[in-house]
Amino acid sequence: MPKIIIDGHTIECRSGIPVLQAALEAGLAVPHYCYHPGLSVVASCRLCLMEMKMPNPKTGQMDWAPKLFPSCQTPVRDGLEVRFRSDPVRENQQHVMEYYLLNHPLDCPVCDKAGECYLQDYTEANGPATSRMVEDKTKNPKKDIGPHTLLYQDRCVLCSRCVRFCDEIAGTGELAVVGRGSRCEIDVLPGQPLENPLQGNVVDLCPVGALLDKGFLFKQRVWLLRSARSVSPADSRGQTIWIDYNEAGIHRIRPRYNEKINEWWISDEARFGWKHVHRPDRLRQPRIRQGVALQPARWEELPGLLRAPFAGVAACASPAGPGGGARLAQPPSLLGRGQGEGQGIGPLAAVLSPMLTCEEAWLLAKLARSLAPQATLVLGHVPVSGHDQTYPNGFTIKAEKCPNRRGVETILQHLGGPTASFQEFLAQAVEGRFRAAYVTGGYPDAWVTDPVAAALARIPFLVVHDLFPSALDGAAAVQIPGAAWTEREGTFMNCDGLLQPFERALPPLEGVKADGQFFYELLGQPGLFRAQTVRETMAAELPQFSEVFIPRDLPKRAH
Amino acid sequence: MRDDDIIVLKEPELTPAERLYLPQILDGLKTTLRHMFDLQRRHAVVHQYPEQTREDTGELRTANYHGVHRLNKDPDGRVACVACFMCSTACPAHCIHIEAGESPWPDREKYPVQFDIDELRCIYCGLCEEACPVDAIELTPLYELVSCTREELILDKEKLLQIYEETKGIKPRRNPPVTDYGLTGTQGLDVAEPNMKRKV
Amino acid sequence: MTDPTIKRIETVLRKPAVIFGAGAAILLLVTALLALAFPLYKPLLSSQFSFSMIVLAVMLVLILSATALCILFERKIAGFTQDRYGPNRVGFWGLLQPVADGLKFLLKEDIIPRHVDKPLFLLAPALALAASLLGFAIIPWAGQVRWPWMPPDAPPLSTQVANLNVGFLYLLAVGSLSVYGVVLAGYASNNKYAFYGGMRAAAQMISYELPLGLGLLVVLLVSGTLQLDQIVQQQAATGVWNIFLHPIAFFLVLVSALAEANRAPFDLPEAEQELVGGYHTEYSAMKFAMFFLGEYAHMITSSALIVALFFGGWHFWGLPGPENVTWWAMLIKLAVYLTKVALFIALFMLVRWTLPRFRFDQLMRVAWQSLVPIGVALLAATAALTYLGWQRNVWASLAANLLLLAVLLRSAARSKRPVTARQEDLPEIDVRPTT
């Protein structure tokens, strides 16, 4: 742990980092554009220059060197003494800021970066109030450089963060700095637009409003947004994200620094994987099959309606065995009206989707087992697409496109008893082994394939808890609308067993109850569902759930 | 702060007569009575509104009266607003609702697709006018704001532009500050294809 | 305004000739009708009971219309004190404003919120108005009258509705009933603001009953009777109004009457800045109007009572006295009485538009720490005077009052410093330049 002296204060810092990083971690607001802790150092912006004490060759005494040094390129070493609060440093910052503003258009009112723009902040802090430039500013048209990204070249400060990101992190190298001097600009190669699966990060990286997200363009001003700490459900790696939202809904997703998983980046799947939350065809009220059609129902009716048939099924169920399927000789009777008949009622199954949080999966599993001790617990459909993709610096996009398979598996293993994989469950369902099943979905895309629908249609009392209408609507006896992950709180366990909690950003849609709250009420628990309380009760039985990992928030402007 | 910087003020005491309240009450009654019979002042202060308006007496300050809003037009007759949300951010009554979009004109970036002001919610403080970087939103001297329904008083963009047409005679638009808000790129070469031929 | 017919009607109504002409015509018509029907009701005038009934009917009509007019005058006075004109749109000088107000109250939607206690909610405004009107029964409007056709030795008729021998005890009892309407309204509305209003009203009325009762007791000791007509007759006979004997008692009664009527500066039960509308928050249309009328009716009752107790009722020096019981003397006395009442109402209104509202703790302190001790001291002094037989001696009474005032001033000077201070009385600040 080297100790350095910044502005007369002794600071203890990690070894091997640049002085700038040490200063930022100590909470100092040092202006900088090109430096980013996740990228290589180029020291091109000249804004983070500092004064440093060096031995005077004439006297041999330690003295302030007459020249300024880039703090991003100077590694810390023990006893180093630097200062940022001095006139030369301040003058340098002012001159550099004036230089940056020579050609920068004064269009903050229409620029989406306004409010989180480094240039704006530094100009307010250090920059000149007026420009001495009398010539016309260089004007550059905006460029469409990829499916998600626009480049406003005249706002660019040529920090080359985006170029380095494409070279070093994504490894695809689409972007390059072309031209020289005042004609220097960022560009893509002909016919090779910026479309790698991590490309959204260049928008976050850009310290000014040069690179903008087409989806967020002109939608909102950033100061009107609130942010919630969340975990992306896009893949099983559990990338941590900020959800930026306001009353009108979600507007964008930004990466949340996480030293264990995704560092400063997120994949495009995570970044753009929230559109389904606002799809207009989401289910909005519970419905119950009466006659042929599903009829709207009230939430208050549901616990009684569900518990009775499930309990009836359970009461008559023999221990699970291969012979169970033969009992389905009698015609299925819905809503448990035939429960008094005694025989012919098969076992109960609960399908725990890997989209559920650990707490919700726990509650649902407990519910199923409390109704029928021999209820079959099934890990729901695990969507997989392609192969894991690993990028040069180690960033990985998992092929498994659900957030919590590992968490559900952990719970199922702990609870024991009859369990099945989704494929086994489907096969048993086709045999007609189940009289009742509670199926949870929550996937952003359509997941019910024809074989799944056909198999589940064999279950007489099928409860479907999902976000969207699907092929199961025809088979479901009760349809319950689910809440998207942005509308719930809980924890996801990622593929490496790391447990990460996330906050609720939006309230559930009108008429929809958060899944956890509904399970809580089904279990007959009083009050409101709070993920942390449930997690604590889980931790009493399952020590894996006693500790969660919450990455620390970086200070503002720390990268 | 030294001790001798502190100035100790002796609280004034009420006289015993004042503490009986009665002299004070009589004093107050005297004031109200004086105003009651001051006909001259009453005639000077009060306007008999529908018959006698401030326009008639020349007392309406059209340049800075805080009446109904308007949305100014630029010299080309397009809405001058650049949809920067500054007015709705500054608005203490949250009565301005804006939806921004990409402008259909090549020389402008952003423009308001929707611009609604709830005139019933507005408190006519004029902060929107202060906040506007292009002097697009202004308060007009129109003060007769009536309607039969609440919905009618949620003025939309068309209505606000129409108010500009109606009032530009009595309150011309100020010269807006010269900025680059709408001016990016040359006209006609707005969005370039990747690596298209651009000026060298 | 755009409709020319309406505009024309409005212009016509605002001509003074039209209004006063119509008023005179109506007055003439009523007089003519009364003259024509004279033989019909002449026998009714001769017996005390039926005459009382007629007085009741006449005064009820008169007072109910007077309350409506009061509202106009209140708004006029408010306007004048604030350098405005007040209502002047409906009719000449706004004289038809009460009609417009009444029509508006009648036509407004009568809302009964779902969450209220319905029977009590409906009962409260009626109770508030009725309790205020009950007090009129014992006001001796115009002394006594003997009609020309009655034999000269027949006992003259009293122009009271009821000459109760318990006199103003009845008034006290009925006057405190009006708190019932307010408290019920506050309770039945099932609304916290209304409830606060009701609670405040209850506390306030109970507190101010005491100084009111003490002030009245002083008058009782002086006059030795509870009957209002006899109190008035005593003052008329000697020509010395009770105000000259006991100005402090008058002040006690005046302040308490303001508080009992929930008038400013004691209008805390309906303090709109704090309590929305206080006890009548949930009321609308005619039910709200009844509270409104009740308040003004209460003000008229209080004024009439104070006039009878302290200002000689219908007596005025140089005008017909108690021995003159002719019908024209009765009309003069009635006019004198009503004029005095009107002056008092004007005073009440002026006070409302002059003084700011008390804070609730101040209100309570005024009642319990000032008015009640003063009342007790005054009562003791008057009792002593009565024991000595000097209760109607002006100089003795005034001396007692002055003595009491001196004691009050003395104790006020000795009591703790007030926290209130006036800005202009602050001493000059000597600000040294800081170095």
Side-chain angles (χ1 to χ4, degrees):
Chain A
M1 294 289 272
K3 282 181 187 167
I4 61 169
I5 304 166
I6 302 179
D7 294 329
H9 300 286
T10 307
I11 285 166
E12 209 169 326
C13 54
R14 297 184 281 138
S15 57
I17 59 170
V19 174
L20 175 61
Q21 181 69 22
L24 293 174
E25 284 178 10
L28 264 74
V30 181
H32 62 280
Y33 290 128
C34 65
Y35 175 76
H36 189 283
L39 300 173
S40 62
V41 175
V42 291
S44 69
C45 76
R46 312 314 284 178
L47 204 52
C48 68
L49 301 193
M50 62 179 180
E51 274 192 293
M52 187 160 65
K53 258 190 182 171
M54 294 182 99
N56 188 331
K58 286 176 188 161
T59 59
Q61 301 282 318
M62 288 298 277
D63 203 358
W64 292 113
K67 182 176 167 289
L68 300 177
F69 298 88
S71 63
C72 59
Q73 222 174 20
T74 311
V76 295
R77 59 173 192 273
D78 209 21
L80 184 70
E81 190 173 354
V82 302
R83 63 178 178 188
F84 290 100
R85 284 186 203 156
S86 71
D87 288 342
V89 171
R90 217 169 280 136
E91 275 166 26
N92 169 66
Q93 287 169 354
Q94 282 168 3
H95 294 152
V96 172
M97 281 310 299
E98 186 172 11
Y99 168 70
Y100 277 125
L101 292 171
L102 279 185
N103 278 315
H104 193 93
L106 184 57
D107 64 351
C108 300
V110 296
C111 175
D112 276 343
K113 199 74 177 183
E116 53 179 14
C117 172
Y118 285 32
L119 193 65
Q120 241 184 0
D121 292 357
Y122 298 159
T123 307
E124 198 188 350
N126 313 311
T130 53
S131 174
R132 289 185 282 166
M133 168 102 155
V134 287
E135 283 82 20
D136 284 345
K137 290 181 177 181
T138 308
K139 280 178 183 153
N140 258 323
K142 65 182 172 192
K143 288 182 258 184
D144 189 350
I145 58 163
H148 289 295
T149 322
L150 275 178
L151 172 62
Y152 284 76
Q153 185 54 52
D154 44 8
R155 291 178 190 156
C156 178
V157 294
L158 288 164
C159 66
S160 77
R161 278 184 178 189
C162 48
V163 176
R164 280 176 283 150
F165 175 81
C166 290
D167 288 347
E168 298 163 13
I169 310 298
T172 46
E174 293 103 332
L175 292 174
V177 183
V178 297
R180 277 180 177 263
S182 66
R183 291 175 194 145
C184 205
E185 52 186 78
I186 306 287
D187 211 339
V188 288
L189 292 171
Q192 290 182 2
L194 177 68
E195 52 185 11
N196 67 63
L198 298 178
Q199 52 121 332
N201 290 304
V202 297
V203 174
D204 302 318
L205 272 175
C206 185
V208 294
L211 286 163
L212 292 176
D213 181 359
K214 283 181 188 170
F216 184 63
L217 193 70
F218 304 151
K219 287 286 182 301
Q220 282 290 329
R221 307 316 303 267
V222 293
W223 58 83
L224 300 175
L225 300 175
R226 279 167 282 164
S227 300
R229 290 178 184 81
S230 191
V231 176
S232 172
D235 69 5
S236 61
R237 199 137 168 271
Q239 305 168 46
T240 45
I241 52 174
W242 290 107
I243 299 179
D244 285 356
Y245 66 99
N246 65 9
E247 313 78 54
I250 300 175
H251 291 289
R252 62 174 180 181
I253 282 175
R254 285 180 300 133
R256 177 159 64 106
Y257 175 73
N258 186 337
E259 68 265 32
K260 288 200 180 174
I261 297 169
N262 50 325
E263 293 185 297
W264 300 270
W265 331 113
I266 51 171
S267 64
D268 282 2
E269 282 167 352
R271 182 182 301 270
F272 304 117
W274 53 268
K275 300 279 165 40
H276 70 280
V277 173
H278 293 315
R279 250 168 70 181
D281 60 339
R282 277 196 41 196
L283 301 176
R284 279 164 196 273
Q285 58 179 356
R287 292 192 294 172
I288 297 169
R289 186 165 305 282
Q290 277 164 348
V292 185
L294 284 167
Q295 298 293 337
R298 288 180 295 115
W299 282 96
E300 299 83 65
E301 299 172 24
L302 289 182
L305 212 74
L306 294 180
R307 286 185 72 94
F310 281 149
V313 167
C316 306
S318 60
R327 300 197 176 181
L328 194 76
Q330 290 168 5
S333 55
L334 295 182
L335 297 184
R337 276 182 206 113
Q339 61 183 276
E341 292 165 20
Q343 287 121 19
I345 297 181
L348 172 71
V351 179
L352 311 178
S353 157
M355 303 302 286
L356 291 178
T357 65
C358 296
E359 292 83 3
E360 287 158 2
W362 172 268
L363 287 178
L364 183 56
K366 280 281 179 190
L367 175 72
R369 283 287 159 83
S370 73
L371 293 169
Q374 290 301 317
T376 312
L377 300 180
V378 183
L379 168 66
H381 166 65
V382 178
V384 176
S385 87
H387 300 284
D388 293 0
Q389 288 171 285
T390 305
Y391 289 88
N393 84 321
F395 190 90
T396 308
I397 300 175
K398 287 280 176 189
E400 196 178 293
K401 303 298 180 197
C402 58
N404 200 28
R405 183 205 23 104
R406 176 116 178 212
V408 174
E409 274 177 2
T410 311
I411 290 165
L412 294 191
Q413 273 170 17
H414 166 73
L415 290 175
T419 55
S421 74
F422 194 60
Q423 292 309 320
E424 290 165 3
F425 165 71
L426 287 182
Q428 289 168 357
V430 168
E431 287 168 22
R433 256 201 61 191
F434 298 110
R435 279 302 303 249
Y438 194 109
V439 178
T440 50
Y443 304 94
D445 311 309
W447 63 283
V448 182
T449 54
D450 288 344
V452 172
L456 291 180
R458 297 291 307 275
I459 298 171
F461 187 72
L462 180 67
V463 181
V464 178
H465 195 147
D466 205 351
L467 291 177
F468 301 106
S470 66
L472 291 179
D473 293 358
V478 180
Q479 187 189 48
I480 301 170
W485 105 98
T486 55
E487 299 158 1
R488 315 189 318 239
E489 55 167 9
T491 47
F492 287 148
M493 189 183 271
N494 84 345
C495 55
D496 303 322
L498 194 66
L499 201 62
Q500 298 190 107
F502 60 93
E503 294 171 351
R504 194 185 83 160
L506 303 174
L509 286 185
E510 199 177 339
V512 175
K513 236 174 211 179
D515 304 9
Q517 178 67 29
F518 180 59
F519 298 149
Y520 210 56
E521 285 168 21
L522 273 184
L523 272 168
Q525 303 265 26
L528 287 175
F529 164 81
R530 280 190 62 230
Q532 195 180 346
T533 323
V534 175
R535 199 158 60 235
E536 279 159 13
T537 53
M538 287 164 73
E541 293 182 38
L542 259 169
Q544 288 102 310
F545 289 98
S546 56
E547 267 186 42
V548 293
F549 172 65
I550 305 173
R552 69 198 158 88
D553 291 342
L554 291 180
K556 206 186 164 209
R557 300 273 171 276
H559 58 82
Chain B
M1 168 73 74
R2 299 189 311 270
D3 272 1
D4 50 347
D5 283 340
I6 299 168
I7 302 164
V8 180
L9 289 184
K10 195 173 177 294
E11 232 179 329
E13 287 184 23
L14 296 179
T15 61
E18 283 173 337
R19 301 207 53 200
L20 278 183
Y21 295 126
L22 277 177
Q24 254 68 15
I25 290 171
L26 293 179
D27 224 30
L29 285 175
K30 208 171 76 193
T31 308
T32 34
L33 279 171
R34 196 175 64 236
H35 280 269
M36 258 185 92
F37 295 107
D38 192 345
L39 284 173
Q40 256 180 345
R41 183 202 292 254
R42 197 181 304 156
H43 292 314
V45 166
V46 180
H47 286 258
Q48 298 281 1
Y49 162 59
E51 296 89 14
Q52 182 192 14
T53 59
R54 288 193 177 215
E55 286 94 322
D56 299 341
T57 55
E59 288 174 26
L60 186 72
R61 290 194 257 174
T62 46
N64 56 3
Y65 187 84
H66 282 185
V68 184
H69 307 75
R70 73 180 187 195
L71 268 184
N72 292 335
K73 292 181 178 176
D74 65 6
D76 296 348
R78 307 171 300 190
V79 57
C81 172
V82 295
C84 68
F85 288 66
M86 290 292 163
C87 49
S88 66
T89 304
C91 182
H94 302 302
C95 69
I96 305 179
H97 175 79
I98 303 172
E99 269 172 35
E102 201 163 351
S103 85
W105 312 296
D107 60 329
R108 298 256 310 260
E109 269 294 317
K110 201 176 171 187
Y111 90 122
V113 177
Q114 201 188 339
F115 196 107
D116 297 336
I117 301 183
D118 189 341
E119 298 286 342
L120 292 173
R121 235 179 139 166
C122 177
I123 57 169
Y124 300 97
C125 61
L127 282 179
C128 48
E129 197 178 349
E130 302 276 327
C132 186
V134 290
D135 287 344
I137 187 169
E138 279 181 336
L139 297 174
T140 64
L142 297 186
Y143 53 84
E144 282 166 330
L145 185 70
V146 281
S147 80
C148 295
T149 59
R150 283 164 190 270
E151 287 72 24
E152 280 172 46
L153 286 181
I154 301 174
L155 303 188
D156 59 2
K157 194 173 78 175
E158 279 65 40
K159 180 79 188 144
L160 291 164
L161 288 170
Q162 189 196 326
I163 294 174
Y164 169 69
E165 290 298 332
E166 287 166 12
T167 56
K168 66 181 175 188
I170 49 172
K171 184 184 181 180
R173 187 189 177 197
R174 272 181 297 181
N175 284 331
V178 179
T179 54
D180 311 338
Y181 303 142
L183 305 170
T184 54
T186 50
Q187 294 208 3
L189 196 65
D190 176 33
V191 178
E193 291 303 313
N195 206 47
M196 253 184 70
K197 265 187 199 165
R198 284 190 296 279
K199 61 171 182 172
V200 182
Chain C
M1 285 304 287
T2 48
D3 191 345
T5 328
I6 291 176
K7 180 124 185 148
R8 206 173 304 134
I9 293 173
E10 217 170 69
T11 332
V12 166
L13 283 180
R14 279 164 71 174
K15 286 182 177 142
V18 174
I19 293 291
F20 289 119
I26 290 170
L27 212 62
L28 268 176
L29 195 71
V30 171
T31 323
L33 278 176
L34 284 177
L36 278 175
F38 186 68
L40 288 177
Y41 62 82
K42 186 182 167 188
L44 291 178
L45 286 177
S46 307
S47 101
Q48 176 67 56
F49 176 75
S50 49
F51 180 62
S52 289
M53 289 298 111
I54 286 171
V55 171
L56 175 69
V58 170
M59 290 323 286
L60 204 63
V61 171
L62 212 63
I63 280 157
L64 280 181
S65 41
T67 47
L69 266 178
C70 268
I71 296 170
L72 171 67
F73 282 111
E74 173 106 58
R75 293 176 59 185
K76 275 285 179 191
I77 287 179
F80 292 165
T81 53
Q82 297 163 358
D83 292 332
R84 295 184 285 110
Y85 288 106
N88 63 353
R89 294 278 130 194
V90 199
F92 169 70
W93 208 67
L95 276 176
L96 292 183
Q97 188 68 39
V99 182
D101 283 348
L103 270 178
K104 190 179 130 181
F105 276 131
L106 279 174
L107 294 178
K108 282 265 170 180
E109 186 187 355
D110 193 1
I111 298 165
I112 300 178
R114 205 183 309 158
H115 52 71
V116 300
D117 189 333
K118 205 170 163 189
L120 296 184
F121 186 79
L122 297 178
L123 183 64
L127 213 58
L129 182 58
S132 321
L133 287 177
L134 277 176
F136 289 114
I138 57 153
I139 303 293
W141 290 108
Q144 293 180 316
V145 67
R146 186 186 290 121
W147 300 106
W149 60 86
M150 286 161 68
D153 55 339
L157 302 172
S158 167
T159 52
Q160 256 173 315
V161 175
N163 191 4
L164 298 177
N165 52 6
V166 291
F168 57 71
L169 275 189
Y170 163 82
L171 208 73
L172 270 181
V174 165
S176 23
L177 258 188
S178 65
V179 70
Y180 212 31
V182 175
V183 170
L184 273 190
Y187 168 76
S189 290
N190 206 356
N191 166 325
K192 64 180 169 190
Y193 294 115
F195 191 67
Y196 283 145
M199 285 291 100
R200 283 183 178 191
Q204 177 179 330
M205 294 221 174
I206 288 166
S207 306
Y208 279 86
E209 287 283 301
L210 285 173
L212 181 68
L214 289 169
L216 294 184
L217 266 182
V218 171
V219 179
L220 176 63
L221 283 177
V222 169
S223 55
T225 174
L226 283 163
Q227 281 164 294
L228 281 183
D229 64 332
Q230 288 191 23
I231 296 174
V232 173
Q233 291 230 11
Q234 275 178 9
Q235 296 177 69
T238 55
V240 179
W241 297 351
N242 286 340
I243 172 79
F244 303 130
L245 299 170
H246 285 290
I248 292 183
F250 159 69
F251 179 67
L252 287 186
V253 173
L254 178 70
V255 172
S256 310
L258 277 176
E260 291 273 304
N262 291 330
R263 289 285 300 181
F266 303 106
D267 56 347
L268 284 111
E270 47 187 310
E272 52 280 274
Q273 287 86 347
E274 307 144 39
L275 298 182
V276 190
Y279 56 88
H280 56 59
T281 304
E282 299 283 357
Y283 285 91
S284 63
M286 211 50 215
K287 287 206 281 295
F288 172 71
M290 277 159 98
F291 278 116
F292 220 54
L293 290 179
E295 183 185 324
Y296 283 92
H298 200 290
M299 200 162 76
I300 298 176
T301 333
S302 308
S303 306
L305 176 70
I306 291 176
V307 167
L309 290 178
F310 290 98
F311 284 83
W314 39 260
H315 168 260
F316 200 83
W317 307 283
L319 292 178
E323 67 290 337
N324 191 341
V325 290
T326 53
W327 63 272
W328 51 269
M330 177 199 78
L331 286 184
I332 289 172
K333 288 173 183 170
L334 182 65
V336 169
Y337 203 115
L338 292 183
T339 312
K340 287 180 181 172
V341 170
L343 284 176
F344 256 96
I345 291 169
L347 176 72
F348 275 34
M349 287 172 179
L350 208 58
V351 164
R352 170 167 176 191
W353 296 105
T354 301
L355 298 182
R357 186 179 297 130
F358 275 88
R359 221 168 47 210
F360 202 75
D361 61 319
Q362 294 170 333
L363 175 96
M364 283 295 157
R365 209 168 58 222
V366 166
W368 292 100
Q369 294 191 359
S370 312
L371 297 184
V372 172
I374 294 173
V376 171
L378 190 65
L379 186 66
T382 318
L385 289 180
T386 314
Y387 179 75
L388 296 170
W390 297 343
Q391 74 268 38
R392 292 210 65 83
N393 185 320
V394 183
W395 306 116
S397 297
L398 273 184
N401 272 286
L402 281 175
L403 190 70
L404 188 61
L405 199 65
V407 171
L408 279 177
L409 285 174
R410 185 84 191 125
S411 63
R414 281 195 170 194
S415 63
K416 272 202 305 185
R417 280 197 315 157
V419 281
T420 52
R422 289 193 299 185
Q423 200 70 43
E424 60 263 31
D425 292 344
L426 279 172
E428 284 291 309
I429 304 171
D430 174 32
V431 182
R432 271 163 310 208
T434 46
T435 46

